[in-house]
Amino acid sequence: MAGRAAVPEVIWSRPERTGRGPRPAYTRADIAAAAVRIADAEGLDAVTMRRVAAELGCGTMSLYNYVPRKEDLYELMMDAASGEHELWEPSGDWRADLIRVAHQTCALMHRHTWLPRLMSPVYGFSPNALRYLEHCLACLDPFEAPYGTKMELIAMVNGVVTTYVGNEIATVERTRSLPWSQEQENAVRIAYLGRQVASGAYPRLAASFAEDAGPIDLEGVFERALARVLDGFA
């Protein structure tokens, strides 16, 4: 396959385009933007080398001169998304700054609902991702701890955000595929759960529901989970 290396390599260490010929017609930013447009509109599974090439108006084999592998295409997409992070001057309050980072990442994942599927250390060291990580470490300058501990804290905050948003997105996508509304399904499931709890087979669950039978405040759950992570490190 054109452009595929015989040994492992990082796409950021490669020239923008391999091979001979005139000036490259596309930049990595062009390719990443095309892939992101497709993923935003149609989902991550729609992102293929052929589909991105068609979006750009070039042949599939030509695209391999710029991006050797589909995994590299994903890395370009992750870098483009990472470039949307706002990098501000740290306030001196590391907890407040990390909470701000977490909320910003939530918003980013809701804009690009494919992001949770690609969250991996493999894609975490692109130019924009490194700038984001440096910013997070700068926010943690007032936090007296080894850098290894700070990196763990950043990873755990990102983990909370990814899990929370990923569950939200999965619920929405599942609901879209159903022939009935989410409210209808919830009513049926709640009725079933009520019958099971009332059977006496689950006394602890019954006590739990008796204590608080109201709807779950998912935003509150997220805020408490985030606060507990920060408390654990503080």
Side-chain angles (χ1 to χ4, degrees):
M1 190 169 290
R4 183 178 288 275
V7 295
E9 65 175 0
V10 178
I11 190 170
W12 309 109
S13 65
R14 290 170 54 94
E16 278 270 334
R17 178 183 183 274
T18 61
R20 300 173 184 173
R23 180 180 177 183
Y26 309 103
T27 65
R28 284 180 180 151
D30 296 330
I31 296 167
V36 167
R37 284 195 301 272
I38 295 167
D40 286 348
E42 304 173 37
L44 185 62
D45 292 338
V47 178
T48 64
M49 299 296 277
R50 183 185 299 275
R51 182 74 175 77
V52 173
E55 180 79 8
L56 290 168
C58 70
T60 304
M61 297 309 296
S62 297
L63 185 59
Y64 281 108
N65 287 321
Y66 299 87
V67 186
R69 306 177 304 155
K70 187 175 182 180
E71 291 79 7
D72 294 324
L73 185 59
Y74 287 160
E75 189 149 3
L76 295 184
M77 294 170 65
M78 290 293 290
D79 185 65
S82 295
E84 297 181 27
H85 279 289
E86 177 192 358
L87 308 182
W88 61 87
E89 184 66 27
S91 68
D93 182 340
W94 66 268
R95 288 181 62 106
D97 282 339
L98 278 197
I99 290 172
R100 182 175 174 181
V101 166
H103 282 282
Q104 181 180 239
T105 304
C106 273
L108 181 61
M109 288 185 177
H110 279 296
R111 286 198 302 273
H112 305 297
T113 56
W114 45 269
L115 268 175
R117 285 182 59 184
L118 291 184
M119 289 301 288
S120 163
V122 173
Y123 303 124
F125 299 100
S126 67
N128 283 325
L130 288 174
R131 280 189 282 272
Y132 160 76
L133 185 55
E134 179 69 18
H135 170 69
C136 290
L137 289 171
C139 290
L140 287 173
D141 276 347
F143 176 43
E144 296 183 3
Y147 276 108
T149 301
K150 294 179 180 182
M151 294 289 281
E152 287 180 14
L153 173 53
I154 294 167
M156 290 189 70
V157 168
N158 281 332
V160 170
V161 173
T162 302
T163 301
Y164 173 79
V165 178
N167 286 340
E168 278 192 323
I169 292 170
T171 299
V172 170
E173 290 180 348
R174 179 182 178 279
T175 301
R176 285 176 183 160
S177 68
L178 297 175
W180 48 74
S181 71
Q182 184 176 1
E183 289 74 17
Q184 288 174 305
E185 177 163 11
N186 285 345
V188 171
R189 291 185 176 278
I190 289 171
Y192 167 79
L193 180 60
R195 291 193 299 271
Q196 297 306 304
V197 170
S199 71
Y202 310 100
R204 293 169 185 81
L205 280 176
S208 172
F209 287 123
E211 183 178 285
D212 184 2
I216 298 174
D217 176 12
L218 294 178
E219 183 65 26
V221 170
F222 171 70
E223 295 294 344
R224 287 192 295 275
L226 187 58
R228 285 165 180 160
V229 168
L230 299 178
D231 288 344
F233 280 82

